[in-house]
Each structure stands twice: as structure tokens, then as C-alpha cells.
Amino acid sequence: QVQLVESGGGLVQAGGSLRLSCTASGMMFRANDMGWYRQVPGKQRESVAGITGGGATHYAVSVKGRFTISRDNAKNTVYLQMNSLKPEDTAVYYCNTWPTIRVDWGQGTQVTVSS
């Protein structure tokens, strides 16, 4: 059974940084392109960043230059380094396969940015 476990969220002031982690089990991690998504209550979940199995990265316009996605295939883990955080980055952050969702969502990790 595939399981995705996100961690690293928290409360941070605007301009601060956080590093999110997502560890996958039960799947061929290195064979999958992975991504980070976020959701605000009442809005659709949106893609934030993606990374291919070969390490090529893609970012939403809203986070480009501030967020960095990376992966460690030996640890089955994908990371999201978030710098220069803004209040509008407040959301629950999830990881999943990218850009096509192929596994069940994990519980996500809450990121709250105060102004």
C-alpha cells in the first residue's frame, strides 16, 4: 500500500523559511516524477512544484525564485525548501506524483505565514 507522509510545516513570520519533507513508501519512488501541492479551504488544490526522476524541476509562477524542490531517491523523500514566505503561502501542503496524481493523498502539513 502506497503511503505519503508529509512533515515540516509550522507557523512562521513573513519573510521566513521552512523546509517540508515527504517520505513515500510502497511505491517505486525513483521511477516517479514527484510534486508538491497546496490547498486553502474553499479553493482547489494547486500544483506548487514538480521534479522529474532525473531531477528536472518545474515551479508555479507564484513561487518561482522562492521555493526549491529536491529529492533523495535513496531515502524515498522529496523536499520543498520555502524561502521569503508570504501570507498568501498559507495552506496545507501535500506531496504526490506529478503532474498526474496516481496515489492517495497523505495528511498534508500545515504552513501558516503571519504578516
Side-chain angles (χ1 to χ4, degrees), residues 85-100:
L85 282 160
K86 303 175 181 180
E88 51 263 45
D89 295 317
T90 296
V92 179
Y93 284 72
Y94 304 85
C95 71
N96 210 305
T97 54
W98 178 90
T100 303

Side-chain angles (χ1 to χ4, degrees), residues 8-11 18 20 39 41 90-93 107-113:
L11 173 64
L18 284 173
L20 307 183
Q39 188 170 26
T90 296
V92 179
Y93 284 72
Q107 84 288 349
T109 186
Q110 174 71 47
V111 172
T112 303
V113 184

Side-chain angles (χ1 to χ4, degrees), residues 71-86:
R71 65 190 296 162
D72 185 338
N73 289 335
K75 295 182 178 180
N76 284 6
T77 300
V78 60
Y79 303 97
L80 186 68
Q81 176 67 44
M82 306 187 295
N83 299 327
S84 302
L85 282 160
K86 303 175 181 180

Side-chain angles (χ1 to χ4, degrees), residues 47-62:
S47 173
V48 173
I51 184 167
T52 68
T57 57
H58 304 263
Y59 297 94
V61 171
S62 59

Side-chain angles (χ1 to χ4, degrees), residues 53-70:
T57 57
H58 304 263
Y59 297 94
V61 171
S62 59
V63 306
K64 199 168 187 178
R66 301 187 296 122
F67 290 10
T68 302
I69 188 171
S70 61

